[in-house]
Amino acid sequence: MKQPDFSKDFFCDKYRKVDYRLRYFEEHSGHDLIYLASYLHDARIDLKEIRYVRQQLIIPLERDTWELTGDNFDSWGAVAGRLSIFPVISAAHWLIQLPGSLLIDPQFDFCIDINTILLEQNCLKLIGNSNTFLTIRFQADSSKLSIRYRDTGNFIPHNQEGVPS
């Protein structure tokens, strides 16, 4: 698989759908993780929407289009997408970690904003706001491993207040 051109894909003035697969077992996996994290930084995940089907963990999310570089904030927007990881051995091999204070906070809506993405030994971690973590364990050295993100919705431009219009 060809390495993506970050400068071409990430500094543009017109929205293009993203469909990206991480090359885990190739020498560029570190580069790929940074590339993926650049798209998913500040993406919002509704924890109640996560699904596990046939060894695939499907994480619907909404991301901001940070790849757009217009001087005017109106050129930015948001788009729905999904992150899928396969094979996740069983539903028991993914974990949501929340501080106890969030569970009793009436304002907590079970959504997290992604700050960082880490790829560790047999594990992908999405680290969110308020010390929340989504940890996904996958089978070691699986030649079938697929970590893929793709936009699934339409681009929604932000209005002047920074809220999708």
Side-chain angles (χ1 to χ4, degrees):
M1 186 185 307
K2 183 180 175 195
Q3 184 170 336
D5 182 349
F6 188 85
S7 63
K8 178 181 148 246
D9 294 340
F10 212 77
F11 298 100
C12 54
D13 56 5
K14 186 175 180 187
Y15 168 74
R16 292 185 305 243
K17 280 195 181 267
V18 174
D19 188 349
Y20 185 68
R21 215 178 277 270
L22 190 101
R23 300 168 295 177
Y24 180 66
F25 290 108
E26 297 183 29
E27 62 189 53
H28 302 294
S29 61
H31 172 275
D32 287 7
L33 188 64
I34 292 169
Y35 185 89
L36 180 63
S38 297
Y39 279 110
L40 299 186
H41 179 73
D42 290 338
R44 292 156 301 283
I45 299 172
D46 183 343
L47 300 175
K48 298 179 297 284
E49 297 295 320
I50 296 173
R51 298 182 316 274
Y52 176 78
V53 179
R54 295 186 203 97
Q55 292 190 315
Q56 180 171 316
L57 191 64
I58 301 167
I59 305 168
L61 54 86
E62 181 181 88
R63 71 174 187 89
D64 292 314
T65 54
W66 292 114
E67 68 271 23
L68 301 178
T69 58
D71 293 334
N72 181 351
F73 188 77
D74 285 340
S75 67
W76 295 352
V79 65
R82 81 177 200 186
L83 181 65
S84 56
I85 299 101
F86 174 87
V88 175
I89 303 165
S90 74
H93 282 85
W94 61 282
L95 170 72
I96 297 169
Q97 180 177 330
L98 302 169
S101 59
L102 283 180
L103 295 176
I104 59 172
D105 181 352
Q107 301 298 316
F108 182 60
D109 58 3
F110 288 89
C111 291
I112 63 171
D113 296 338
I114 298 173
N115 290 335
T116 307
I117 299 175
L118 298 175
L119 189 59
E120 298 175 348
Q121 184 72 26
N122 307 330
C123 177
L124 180 70
K125 279 190 179 178
L126 304 176
I127 301 172
N129 54 330
S130 305
N131 295 316
T132 56
F133 295 84
L134 177 58
T135 303
I136 303 114
R137 298 198 181 283
F138 43 80
Q139 193 167 2
D141 301 323
S142 172
S143 60
K144 296 178 182 178
L145 178 67
S146 173
I147 299 173
R148 179 183 184 193
Y149 172 77
R150 66 183 180 99
D151 289 341
T152 57
N154 293 322
F155 173 76
I156 302 169
H158 285 295
N159 63 18
Q160 290 294 333
E161 289 79 42
V163 179
S165 47

